[in-house]
Amino acid sequence: RLVKLKALGCNAAEVYVPWNLHEPSPGNFRFDGRRDIVRFLGLCQELGLDVLLRPGPYICAEWDFGGLPWWLLNRPDPVPLRCCDEEFLANVDRWWLTELLPKVRPFLAGNGGPVIAMQIENEFGYWGQDDAYLSHLRDLLKDTFGSSCPLLFTSDGTFWPDLQANGGVEGALRTANFGSSVPERLQQLRKAQPSGPLINMEFWIGWF
């Protein structure tokens, strides 16, 4: 598939990392078979494809539970998710710090690898307002990777101002998701981010 992607003239691969695929039960981390992110990033490097890595922890509504592990719900309701809850962040930190980020580090562009950018959360503006949570994720990546940290970005809609206001975080490039009315959508992104490149992270050509 990556060979076909390159044959189409593409120069980069954008990929989510589903947490629930890699930690199906607490502490049981798997990177075998289709979970082998090291092999995937290595293939991208061999083919000369840059990588935009989207590690979540929430990745998208199209993946079961947004890529979050089911066992996070094994707590009294209401279960706090995608926020600064101490237990939730402890699980995120363990997943990223002990398993995912060490595997990604050799493939960062700053280390000669293909990963040129990493996304913080996904469309968080639709979910809530918790700058401390987004800042925690940002700082986790920056502190872990140091000078090798790639470009960090967030990705949200521009259909009303709260989406970019709540989904973005200082120190990360804001990008927009949309599928039509490009000038209008980019104009709204410019209002949310007065300087810097205007980037469409997801251009929707259909739905399911």
Side-chain angles (χ1 to χ4, degrees):
R1 291 180 181 178
L2 290 174
V3 170
K4 291 179 180 178
L5 181 69
K6 184 161 185 175
L8 287 170
C10 297
N11 62 6
E14 177 188 86
V15 60
Y16 288 124
V17 183
W19 182 5
N20 56 12
L21 188 67
H22 292 283
E23 193 179 6
S25 59
N28 174 27
F29 295 102
R30 298 188 59 180
F31 292 91
D32 57 307
R34 64 175 181 150
R35 303 173 177 89
D36 194 345
I37 190 170
V38 169
R39 183 170 181 268
F40 176 85
L41 294 176
L43 288 172
C44 288
Q45 186 164 14
E46 289 177 19
L47 292 169
L49 290 169
D50 290 331
V51 174
L52 307 174
L53 196 64
R54 309 174 80 177
Y58 174 90
I59 57 171
C60 65
E62 294 83 2
W63 188 279
D64 187 41
F65 200 29
L68 299 176
W70 66 268
W71 46 262
L72 290 175
L73 297 177
N74 193 23
R75 298 173 61 185
D77 286 332
V79 179
L81 300 170
R82 301 175 74 188
C83 66
C84 264
D85 173 72
E86 184 176 342
E87 186 171 335
F88 177 72
L89 286 184
N91 285 308
V92 172
D93 290 358
R94 186 186 74 250
W95 156 231
W96 276 15
L97 291 174
T98 66
E99 298 294 332
L100 180 61
L101 300 189
K103 290 177 171 57
V104 171
R105 182 190 293 274
F107 297 97
L108 299 176
N111 296 326
V115 179
I116 61 172
M118 292 181 69
Q119 182 173 318
I120 298 170
E121 252 280 344
N122 187 59
E123 295 189 332
F124 186 75
Y126 288 100
W127 171 262
Q129 184 178 14
D130 193 338
D131 188 68
Y133 166 57
L134 297 177
S135 296
H136 178 89
L137 299 178
R138 176 202 62 203
D139 293 344
L140 193 60
L141 294 171
K142 286 190 172 183
D143 292 345
T144 300
F145 292 142
S147 60
S148 296
C149 188
L151 172 72
L152 301 180
F153 65 96
T154 56
S155 186
D156 286 275
T158 57
F159 305 103
W160 57 87
D162 285 355
L163 296 179
Q164 287 290 334
N166 296 340
V169 64
E170 186 71 24
L173 180 70
R174 297 170 192 260
T175 68
N177 299 340
F178 53 82
S180 61
S181 305
V182 175
E184 180 183 353
R185 301 276 68 85
L186 292 180
Q187 183 181 41
Q188 294 303 313
L189 178 59
R190 177 54 76 213
K191 289 181 180 178
Q193 184 170 254
S195 62
L198 295 171
I199 296 179
N200 168 235
M201 187 51 57
E202 298 179 13
F203 190 75
W204 309 320
I205 56 172
W207 200 240
F208 62 90

CSV table of all heavy atoms in Angstrom, one decimal, residues 13-19 21-22 34-35 37 40-41 51-63 66-67 95 100 119 121-123 153 155 177 201-202 204:
chain,number,residue,atom,x,y,z
A,13,ALA,N,2.9,10.0,4.4
A,13,ALA,CA,1.8,9.1,4.9
A,13,ALA,C,1.3,9.7,6.3
A,13,ALA,O,2.2,10.1,7.1
A,13,ALA,CB,2.3,7.7,5.1
A,14,GLU,N,0.0,9.8,6.4
A,14,GLU,CA,-0.6,10.2,7.6
A,14,GLU,C,-1.2,9.0,8.3
A,14,GLU,O,-1.9,8.3,7.7
A,14,GLU,CB,-1.6,11.3,7.3
A,14,GLU,CG,-2.4,11.8,8.5
A,14,GLU,CD,-3.5,12.7,8.1
A,14,GLU,OE1,-4.6,12.1,7.8
A,14,GLU,OE2,-3.4,13.9,8.0
A,15,VAL,N,-0.8,8.8,9.6
A,15,VAL,CA,-1.3,7.6,10.3
A,15,VAL,C,-1.7,7.8,11.7
A,15,VAL,O,-1.0,8.5,12.5
A,15,VAL,CB,-0.2,6.5,10.1
A,15,VAL,CG1,1.1,6.9,10.8
A,15,VAL,CG2,-0.7,5.2,10.7
A,16,TYR,N,-2.8,7.2,12.1
A,16,TYR,CA,-3.2,7.2,13.5
A,16,TYR,C,-2.5,6.0,14.2
A,16,TYR,O,-2.1,5.1,13.6
A,16,TYR,CB,-4.7,7.0,13.6
A,16,TYR,CG,-5.6,8.1,13.2
A,16,TYR,CD1,-6.6,7.9,12.2
A,16,TYR,CD2,-5.5,9.3,13.8
A,16,TYR,CE1,-7.4,9.0,11.8
A,16,TYR,CE2,-6.4,10.4,13.5
A,16,TYR,CZ,-7.3,10.2,12.5
A,16,TYR,OH,-8.2,11.2,12.1
A,17,VAL,N,-2.4,6.2,15.6
A,17,VAL,CA,-1.9,5.1,16.4
A,17,VAL,C,-3.0,4.7,17.4
A,17,VAL,O,-3.2,5.4,18.4
A,17,VAL,CB,-0.7,5.5,17.1
A,17,VAL,CG1,-0.1,4.3,17.9
A,17,VAL,CG2,0.4,6.0,16.2
A,18,PRO,N,-3.8,3.7,17.1
A,18,PRO,CA,-4.9,3.3,18.0
A,18,PRO,C,-4.4,2.7,19.3
A,18,PRO,O,-3.9,1.6,19.3
A,18,PRO,CB,-5.8,2.3,17.2
A,18,PRO,CG,-5.2,2.4,15.8
A,18,PRO,CD,-3.8,2.8,16.0
A,19,TRP,N,-4.6,3.4,20.4
A,19,TRP,CA,-4.2,2.9,21.7
A,19,TRP,C,-4.8,1.6,22.0
A,19,TRP,O,-4.1,0.6,22.5
A,19,TRP,CB,-4.5,4.0,22.8
A,19,TRP,CG,-4.1,3.7,24.2
A,19,TRP,CD1,-3.4,2.7,24.7
A,19,TRP,CD2,-4.4,4.5,25.3
A,19,TRP,NE1,-3.2,2.8,26.0
A,19,TRP,CE2,-3.9,3.9,26.4
A,19,TRP,CE3,-5.2,5.7,25.5
A,19,TRP,CZ2,-4.0,4.4,27.7
A,19,TRP,CZ3,-5.3,6.2,26.7
A,19,TRP,CH2,-4.7,5.6,27.9
A,21,LEU,N,-5.7,-0.8,20.2
A,21,LEU,CA,-5.1,-1.9,19.4
A,21,LEU,C,-3.8,-2.4,20.0
A,21,LEU,O,-3.5,-3.6,19.9
A,21,LEU,CB,-4.9,-1.4,17.9
A,21,LEU,CG,-4.4,-2.5,16.9
A,21,LEU,CD1,-5.6,-3.4,16.7
A,21,LEU,CD2,-4.0,-1.8,15.6
A,22,HIS,N,-3.1,-1.5,20.7
A,22,HIS,CA,-1.8,-1.8,21.2
A,22,HIS,C,-1.8,-2.2,22.7
A,22,HIS,O,-0.9,-2.8,23.2
A,22,HIS,CB,-0.8,-0.6,21.0
A,22,HIS,CG,-0.5,-0.4,19.6
A,22,HIS,ND1,0.4,-1.1,18.9
A,22,HIS,CD2,-0.9,0.6,18.7
A,22,HIS,CE1,0.5,-0.6,17.7
A,22,HIS,NE2,-0.3,0.4,17.5
A,34,ARG,N,-0.1,-6.5,12.4
A,34,ARG,CA,-0.5,-5.1,11.9
A,34,ARG,C,-0.2,-4.0,12.9
A,34,ARG,O,-0.4,-2.9,12.6
A,34,ARG,CB,-1.9,-5.1,11.4
A,34,ARG,CG,-2.9,-5.4,12.5
A,34,ARG,CD,-4.3,-5.2,12.0
A,34,ARG,NE,-5.3,-5.4,13.0
A,34,ARG,CZ,-6.5,-4.9,13.0
A,34,ARG,NH1,-6.8,-4.0,12.1
A,34,ARG,NH2,-7.4,-5.1,14.0
A,35,ARG,N,0.1,-4.4,14.1
A,35,ARG,CA,0.4,-3.5,15.2
A,35,ARG,C,1.9,-3.0,15.1
A,35,ARG,O,2.3,-2.2,15.9
A,35,ARG,CB,0.2,-4.1,16.5
A,35,ARG,CG,-1.2,-4.6,16.8
A,35,ARG,CD,-1.3,-5.3,18.1
A,35,ARG,NE,-2.6,-5.8,18.4
A,35,ARG,CZ,-3.1,-7.0,18.0
A,35,ARG,NH1,-2.4,-7.8,17.3
A,35,ARG,NH2,-4.3,-7.4,18.4
A,37,ILE,N,4.4,-0.9,14.5
A,37,ILE,CA,4.6,0.5,14.1
A,37,ILE,C,6.1,0.7,13.7
A,37,ILE,O,6.4,1.5,12.8
A,37,ILE,CB,4.2,1.5,15.2
A,37,ILE,CG1,4.2,2.9,14.6
A,37,ILE,CG2,5.0,1.3,16.4
A,37,ILE,CD1,3.5,3.9,15.6
A,40,PHE,N,6.4,-0.3,10.1
A,40,PHE,CA,5.7,0.6,9.3
A,40,PHE,C,6.5,1.9,9.1
A,40,PHE,O,6.7,2.3,7.9
A,40,PHE,CB,4.3,1.0,9.9
A,40,PHE,CG,3.6,2.1,9.2
A,40,PHE,CD1,2.8,1.7,8.1
A,40,PHE,CD2,3.7,3.4,9.5
A,40,PHE,CE1,2.1,2.7,7.4
A,40,PHE,CE2,3.0,4.4,8.8
A,40,PHE,CZ,2.2,4.0,7.7
A,41,LEU,N,7.0,2.4,10.2
A,41,LEU,CA,7.8,3.6,10.0
A,41,LEU,C,9.1,3.4,9.3
A,41,LEU,O,9.6,4.2,8.5
A,41,LEU,CB,8.2,4.2,11.4
A,41,LEU,CG,7.0,4.7,12.2
A,41,LEU,CD1,7.4,5.1,13.6
A,41,LEU,CD2,6.3,5.9,11.5
A,51,VAL,N,6.3,11.2,7.4
A,51,VAL,CA,5.2,10.7,8.2
A,51,VAL,C,4.6,11.8,9.1
A,51,VAL,O,5.4,12.5,9.7
A,51,VAL,CB,5.6,9.5,9.1
A,51,VAL,CG1,4.5,9.1,10.0
A,51,VAL,CG2,6.1,8.3,8.2
A,52,LEU,N,3.3,11.9,9.0
A,52,LEU,CA,2.6,12.8,10.0
A,52,LEU,C,1.9,11.8,10.9
A,52,LEU,O,1.0,11.1,10.6
A,52,LEU,CB,1.5,13.6,9.3
A,52,LEU,CG,2.0,14.4,8.1
A,52,LEU,CD1,0.8,15.1,7.4
A,52,LEU,CD2,3.0,15.5,8.6
A,53,LEU,N,2.4,11.7,12.2
A,53,LEU,CA,2.0,10.7,13.1
A,53,LEU,C,0.9,11.3,14.0
A,53,LEU,O,1.1,12.4,14.6
A,53,LEU,CB,3.2,10.3,14.0
A,53,LEU,CG,3.0,9.0,14.8
A,53,LEU,CD1,2.8,7.8,13.8
A,53,LEU,CD2,4.2,8.7,15.7
A,54,ARG,N,-0.2,10.6,14.2
A,54,ARG,CA,-1.3,11.1,15.0
A,54,ARG,C,-1.6,10.1,16.1
A,54,ARG,O,-2.4,9.2,16.0
A,54,ARG,CB,-2.5,11.2,14.1
A,54,ARG,CG,-2.2,12.1,12.8
A,54,ARG,CD,-3.3,12.1,11.8
A,54,ARG,NE,-4.4,13.1,12.2
A,54,ARG,CZ,-5.4,13.4,11.5
A,54,ARG,NH1,-5.6,12.8,10.3
A,54,ARG,NH2,-6.3,14.3,11.9
A,55,PRO,N,-0.9,10.2,17.3
A,55,PRO,CA,-0.9,9.2,18.3
A,55,PRO,C,-2.1,9.4,19.4
A,55,PRO,O,-2.1,8.7,20.3
A,55,PRO,CB,0.4,9.4,19.0
A,55,PRO,CG,0.7,10.9,18.9
A,55,PRO,CD,0.1,11.3,17.5
A,56,GLY,N,-2.9,10.4,19.2
A,56,GLY,CA,-4.1,10.6,20.1
A,56,GLY,C,-3.7,11.3,21.3
A,56,GLY,O,-3.1,12.4,21.2
A,57,PRO,N,-4.1,10.8,22.5
A,57,PRO,CA,-4.6,9.5,22.7
A,57,PRO,C,-6.0,9.1,22.1
A,57,PRO,O,-6.3,8.0,21.8
A,57,PRO,CB,-4.7,9.4,24.3
A,57,PRO,CG,-4.7,10.8,24.7
A,57,PRO,CD,-4.0,11.6,23.7
A,58,TYR,N,-6.9,10.1,21.9
A,58,TYR,CA,-8.1,9.9,21.1
A,58,TYR,C,-7.7,10.2,19.7
A,58,TYR,O,-7.1,11.2,19.4
A,58,TYR,CB,-9.2,10.9,21.6
A,58,TYR,CG,-10.4,10.9,20.8
A,58,TYR,CD1,-11.5,10.0,21.1
A,58,TYR,CD2,-10.6,11.7,19.7
A,58,TYR,CE1,-12.6,10.0,20.3
A,58,TYR,CE2,-11.7,11.7,18.9
A,58,TYR,CZ,-12.7,10.8,19.2
A,58,TYR,OH,-13.9,10.8,18.4
A,59,ILE,N,-8.2,9.3,18.8
A,59,ILE,CA,-7.7,9.5,17.4
A,59,ILE,C,-8.9,9.9,16.4
A,59,ILE,O,-8.7,10.7,15.6
A,59,ILE,CB,-7.0,8.3,16.8
A,59,ILE,CG1,-7.9,7.0,16.9
A,59,ILE,CG2,-5.7,8.0,17.5
A,59,ILE,CD1,-7.3,5.8,16.2
A,60,CYS,N,-10.1,9.3,16.6
A,60,CYS,CA,-11.1,9.7,15.7
A,60,CYS,C,-12.4,9.0,16.0
A,60,CYS,O,-12.4,7.9,16.6
A,60,CYS,CB,-10.8,9.4,14.2
A,60,CYS,SG,-10.6,7.7,13.8
A,61,ALA,N,-13.6,9.5,15.5
A,61,ALA,CA,-14.8,8.9,15.8
A,61,ALA,C,-15.0,7.6,15.0
A,61,ALA,O,-15.9,6.8,15.3
A,61,ALA,CB,-16.0,9.9,15.6
A,62,GLU,N,-14.3,7.5,13.9
A,62,GLU,CA,-14.4,6.3,13.0
A,62,GLU,C,-13.8,5.1,13.5
A,62,GLU,O,-14.1,4.0,13.0
A,62,GLU,CB,-13.8,6.7,11.6
A,62,GLU,CG,-14.5,7.8,10.8
A,62,GLU,CD,-14.0,9.2,11.3
A,62,GLU,OE1,-13.1,9.3,12.1
A,62,GLU,OE2,-14.6,10.1,10.7
A,63,TRP,N,-13.0,5.2,14.5
A,63,TRP,CA,-12.4,4.0,15.2
A,63,TRP,C,-13.1,3.7,16.5
A,63,TRP,O,-13.4,4.6,17.2
A,63,TRP,CB,-10.9,4.2,15.4
A,63,TRP,CG,-10.1,3.0,15.9
A,63,TRP,CD1,-10.1,2.5,17.1
A,63,TRP,CD2,-9.3,2.1,15.1
A,63,TRP,NE1,-9.3,1.4,17.2
A,63,TRP,CE2,-8.8,1.1,15.9
A,63,TRP,CE3,-9.0,2.1,13.7
A,63,TRP,CZ2,-8.0,0.1,15.4
A,63,TRP,CZ3,-8.2,1.1,13.3
A,63,TRP,CH2,-7.7,0.1,14.1
A,66,GLY,N,-12.9,5.7,19.7
A,66,GLY,CA,-11.9,6.7,19.4
A,66,GLY,C,-10.4,6.2,19.6
A,66,GLY,O,-9.5,7.1,19.7
A,67,GLY,N,-10.3,4.9,19.6
A,67,GLY,CA,-8.9,4.4,19.9
A,67,GLY,C,-8.6,4.3,21.3
A,67,GLY,O,-7.5,3.7,21.7
A,95,TRP,N,1.4,4.7,28.7
A,95,TRP,CA,1.4,4.2,27.3
A,95,TRP,C,2.4,4.9,26.4
A,95,TRP,O,3.2,4.3,25.7
A,95,TRP,CB,-0.1,4.4,26.7
A,95,TRP,CG,-0.3,4.5,25.3
A,95,TRP,CD1,-1.0,5.5,24.7
A,95,TRP,CD2,0.1,3.7,24.2
A,95,TRP,NE1,-1.0,5.3,23.3
A,95,TRP,CE2,-0.3,4.2,23.0
A,95,TRP,CE3,0.9,2.5,24.2
A,95,TRP,CZ2,-0.1,3.6,21.8
A,95,TRP,CZ3,1.2,1.9,22.9
A,95,TRP,CH2,0.7,2.5,21.7
A,100,LEU,N,5.1,3.7,23.5
A,100,LEU,CA,5.0,4.3,22.1
A,100,LEU,C,6.2,5.2,21.8
A,100,LEU,O,6.9,5.0,20.7
A,100,LEU,CB,3.7,5.0,22.0
A,100,LEU,CG,3.5,5.7,20.6
A,100,LEU,CD1,3.5,4.7,19.5
A,100,LEU,CD2,2.2,6.5,20.7
A,119,GLN,N,0.6,15.0,15.9
A,119,GLN,CA,-0.6,15.6,16.3
A,119,GLN,C,-0.9,15.4,17.7
A,119,GLN,O,-0.7,14.3,18.3
A,119,GLN,CB,-1.8,15.1,15.4
A,119,GLN,CG,-3.1,15.8,15.8
A,119,GLN,CD,-4.2,15.4,14.8
A,119,GLN,OE1,-4.0,15.3,13.6
A,119,GLN,NE2,-5.4,15.2,15.4
A,121,GLU,N,-3.8,15.1,20.3
A,121,GLU,CA,-5.3,14.8,20.4
A,121,GLU,C,-5.9,14.8,19.0
A,121,GLU,O,-5.1,14.7,18.0
A,121,GLU,CB,-6.0,15.8,21.3
A,121,GLU,CG,-6.5,15.2,22.6
A,121,GLU,CD,-7.8,14.4,22.5
A,121,GLU,OE1,-8.5,14.5,21.5
A,121,GLU,OE2,-8.1,13.6,23.5
A,122,ASN,N,-7.2,14.9,18.9
A,122,ASN,CA,-7.8,15.0,17.6
A,122,ASN,C,-9.2,15.6,17.7
A,122,ASN,O,-10.1,15.1,18.4
A,122,ASN,CB,-8.0,13.6,16.9
A,122,ASN,CG,-8.5,13.7,15.5
A,122,ASN,OD1,-7.9,14.4,14.7
A,122,ASN,ND2,-9.6,13.1,15.2
A,123,GLU,N,-9.4,16.7,17.0
A,123,GLU,CA,-10.7,17.5,17.0
A,123,GLU,C,-11.2,17.6,18.5
A,123,GLU,O,-12.4,17.4,18.7
A,123,GLU,CB,-11.7,16.7,16.1
A,123,GLU,CG,-11.2,16.8,14.7
A,123,GLU,CD,-12.3,16.3,13.7
A,123,GLU,OE1,-13.1,15.4,14.1
A,123,GLU,OE2,-12.3,16.7,12.6
A,153,PHE,N,1.1,19.7,16.1
A,153,PHE,CA,0.0,20.4,15.6
A,153,PHE,C,-1.3,19.9,16.2
A,153,PHE,O,-1.3,18.7,16.7
A,153,PHE,CB,-0.1,20.3,14.0
A,153,PHE,CG,-0.3,18.9,13.5
A,153,PHE,CD1,-1.6,18.4,13.2
A,153,PHE,CD2,0.8,18.0,13.3
A,153,PHE,CE1,-1.7,17.2,12.7
A,153,PHE,CE2,0.6,16.8,12.8
A,153,PHE,CZ,-0.7,16.3,12.5
A,155,SER,N,-5.7,19.6,15.3
A,155,SER,CA,-6.5,19.5,14.1
A,155,SER,C,-8.0,19.6,14.5
A,155,SER,O,-8.5,18.7,15.2
A,155,SER,CB,-6.3,18.1,13.4
A,155,SER,OG,-6.9,18.0,12.1
A,177,ASN,N,-9.9,20.9,9.5
A,177,ASN,CA,-10.5,19.8,8.8
A,177,ASN,C,-11.8,20.2,8.2
A,177,ASN,O,-12.6,20.8,8.8
A,177,ASN,CB,-10.8,18.6,9.8
A,177,ASN,CG,-9.6,18.0,10.5
A,177,ASN,OD1,-8.5,18.2,10.0
A,177,ASN,ND2,-9.8,17.4,11.6
A,201,MET,N,-5.7,19.7,7.3
A,201,MET,CA,-5.2,18.4,7.7
A,201,MET,C,-6.0,17.2,7.1
A,201,MET,O,-5.5,16.2,6.8
A,201,MET,CB,-5.1,18.3,9.2
A,201,MET,CG,-4.4,17.0,9.7
A,201,MET,SD,-2.8,16.7,9.0
A,201,MET,CE,-1.9,18.2,9.4
A,202,GLU,N,-7.3,17.4,7.1
A,202,GLU,CA,-8.2,16.4,6.5
A,202,GLU,C,-9.1,17.1,5.5
A,202,GLU,O,-9.9,18.0,5.9
A,202,GLU,CB,-9.1,15.7,7.6
A,202,GLU,CG,-8.3,15.0,8.6
A,202,GLU,CD,-9.3,14.4,9.7
A,202,GLU,OE1,-10.5,14.4,9.4
A,202,GLU,OE2,-8.8,14.0,10.8
A,204,TRP,N,-12.2,16.2,3.4
A,204,TRP,CA,-13.2,15.1,3.3
A,204,TRP,C,-13.7,15.1,1.8
A,204,TRP,O,-14.3,16.1,1.3
A,204,TRP,CB,-14.3,15.4,4.3
A,204,TRP,CG,-13.9,15.6,5.7
A,204,TRP,CD1,-12.8,14.9,6.3
A,204,TRP,CD2,-14.4,16.5,6.6
A,204,TRP,NE1,-12.7,15.4,7.6
A,204,TRP,CE2,-13.6,16.4,7.8
A,204,TRP,CE3,-15.4,17.5,6.5
A,204,TRP,CZ2,-13.9,17.2,8.9
A,204,TRP,CZ3,-15.7,18.2,7.7
A,204,TRP,CH2,-14.9,18.1,8.8
